[in-house]
Amino acid sequence: MNGAMRFIPLVVVLVLFAVFFTMMSGDRNPKEIKSVLIDRPAPAFSLPSLEDGAAAITEADLKTGKPLLVNFFASWCAPCRAEHENLMLLAEDFGLNIVGIAYKDTPEKSRAFLDELGSPFSVVAQDIDGRAGIEWGITGVPETFLISADGMIRYRHWGPIVGDSLQKRLLPKLEEIQ
Amino acid sequence: MIPEIGHFALIVALIVSLMGAVIPHMAIARGDTRLMALAGQFAYSQFLLASVAFGALTYAYVISDFSVLNVAANSHTAKPLLYKVSGVWGNHEGSLMLWVLILSLFSACIALGGKNLPLRFRSRVLAVQSALLVGFLLFVLLTSNPFMRLDPAPFEGNGLNPLLQDPGLAFHPPMLYIGYVGLSVAFSFAVAALMEGEVTPLWARWVRPWTLAAWVFLTAGIALGSWWAYYELGWGGWWFWDPVENASFMPWLAATALLHSSIVVEKRDALKSWTILLAIVAFSFSLLGTFIVRSGVLTSVHAFAVDPERGIFILAFLAVIIGGSLSLFAWRAPKLAPSGIFSLASRESALVLNNILLATFAGVVLVGTLYPLLLEAVNGTQITVGPPFFEFAASVLMSPLIVALGFGPLLAWKRGNISRASQILLPAVIIALVVFWVTIWQDAAGTFMTGFGIALGLWLIISVGMEINKKANFWKHPAGFIGRAKKLPRATWGMSLAHAGLGIILLAITVSEAWTSEALRLMKVGDSENVGGYDFTLEQVTPVAGPNYTAVRARFLVEHNGRFIAKLAPEDRVYSDPPMNTTEAGIYPTFLGDVYAVIGEYAGSDAWSVRLYFKPLISGLWLGAGLMAIGGLISLSDRRQRIGAPAGKKRSKRVLKPKKAGA
């Protein structure tokens, strides 16, 4: 802790305080959250498919030429059950492709979950250790991303798609990009 | 009248603190011992005045004096007495008053308990404490006066956030604050040592009990908060890595590191400037935690914008305290020459590793908490850093810590013998490896991390057992084992208990994360549902009325293979002032885990939405945290800790050669 090292803590703190100061003098409202991922290409990933023997699922699978959804779910997550009905509706009545990402779950449990409730997904990828979740910056499950035909993220839905969030939030966004 | 007395007491306290912050330094410069001794009197007076002010505010709350703005904004006549009192610190102004009270209490304790510290040093410490108090009192009086009057007085108050009306949360903030503020003692000792330009093993002896006490309260406070989240928020989670929680976790990590590094200073006269830095950083984290989060710079900077005066004051205050002490550190650290040398395999090295990992973890949590703010300042983008980031960091940094933790206590000071330690720990290694292999191979756990977590937890618990066993020599002379175990120093027992507590926490986290069963269902009265092998039967749903809320209470019968386990009575409460909905989970802890039921909304046609869980081993979290706190208390009761201060008489000679056992 001699030499230049001893100044490090002081410098770190001074920089921090400078940041706090500028943040406070600025006129900003932190309640308006935007996601950095919006209007950016989906992050790169490569995850094993839940289907035995199928090829790994990567970000290339998101560029299908039409809009699709990426849904992070888990069998251990109660709100995922709650939104499941709406995902089925989107897949069946709207003909939307939904890529499921089974987040921090075992393949057996994910399969049992989909066998029990039916699968709304065109493909299911497994994110067993949650690394893809970090890349996508999810804060929990379920979270759903709307991807446009060119593979860009257009909308991010926090939490389950239940109640009027389907009609009022997700569907208008879908219409917008179609 | 009473509130004015409180206000007046605060003003007088400010004057006394100003005197207390300046006069001792002058006295030391002049070498006037009589004037130095006054520092103690200042400390007692500060505590007395702070008690009067806090008492006055509490009184206003108890009698519901709504002519006081703070009371009107945060209290209500229909609240039970407990929550009228806990409402005092349930808001910004009142919580600052609690800070002031506890800070002055610690000063008084130093004055009282530190009679045997060298007078010069004690005066310096108390002067630093006084300076801290000046800052807090200025902040209260200039920007957050809790005694502000309201004219005309409203007929009824706004009430306290119902989520906070809970016994767990009534005691959580005071516990945490005692922990936060307790670290101010380590801070003041560090700053005083820097001023004196000398850190001796004795210094570490003096500062350690205070740090340990603060750490015990921090541990208990954090555990209490997590327990509250578990049963009150109603969805079974217990830690969310949100900024408020991180703010309490960072000082805990720093204090834990400090506890360990001060041992090295005490026993080996090494790591001196690092320990001083940790003492400063630990308290800085406390300040950053309470202030920044309380005023919402992280969760919502909006609160700052509303009251820029308060925000600027906080920042200036933090800059003076933290910046000032770190400048002092940068200036004086070269004087603290390192002396003890040690080999790579030694107790010191193990403790250094502990410090590196804990400090890195605290740093990572700090970065994760502040990163969104920093990024937005740099290029205006907003991001959130979620639990996956923190969980990843925790698993990467804590795994080597726990592996090393098994070895550490078995290594000798200066030069240890890893292969001998490994021999002693062989059973722990074998059991951990077998369990790891079985869980992974049998795919019982599914993911790699589950098997790893269980193996690590068992490794730690068994290592602690082996180490006690070694120290009390069970294998060679089984006869007197109990007697010898009893004779081990209390500090050794305290350390072992705390370490075992960590192992239990790790097991509880891993097992409950991996094998929790849960169900979200619509149930009618009479319906039954099996969750994790437990049958939950909804027996009845009745409306109930509390003192300031109405609720729907469900009654569940829980059975396991037809055998009665428990009756659960979860409630869904609606409070009237302020109008808000809270859930009270029905929880029954069994040996294997908790059965947990939550009643939600009425879903039509006699059905209610309910959530049912079986959470295996989750009680281990609080059991483990409790063991850590109890371990701290036992260590604190060690005679060697208590006589730490009296030994100060022999300050100039380095007479300390304590027995080797324990740490």
Side-chain angles (χ1 to χ4, degrees), chain B residues 121 189-199 203 276 280 325 328-333 335-336:
Chain B
F121 187 74
F189 271 73
V191 170
L194 283 173
M195 286 175 170
E196 297 287 293
E198 185 184 31
V199 176
W203 176 88
I276 292 281
I280 293 173
S325 54
L328 186 65
F329 174 80
W331 175 38
R332 304 286 269 197
K335 290 196 82 172
L336 313 173

Side-chain angles (χ1 to χ4, degrees), chain B residues 115-127:
Chain B
K115 283 255 158 62
N116 297 302
L117 293 175
L119 182 61
R120 211 178 129 97
F121 187 74
R122 185 171 73 121
S123 314
R124 283 258 198 246
V125 171
L126 287 174

Side-chain angles (χ1 to χ4, degrees), chain B residues 61 69-76 79 87 90-91 93 157-161:
Chain B
Y61 267 86
L69 174 63
N70 190 254
V71 181
N74 298 296
S75 196
H76 193 277
K79 261 191 330 187
N91 60 83
E93 288 82 2
N158 282 343
L160 174 70
N161 183 341

Side-chain angles (χ1 to χ4, degrees), chain B residues 9 124 221 258 319 429 488 507 569 610 615 644:
Chain B
R124 283 258 198 246
L258 176 60
V429 176
L488 286 178
L507 274 186
V610 298
K615 296 189 152 285

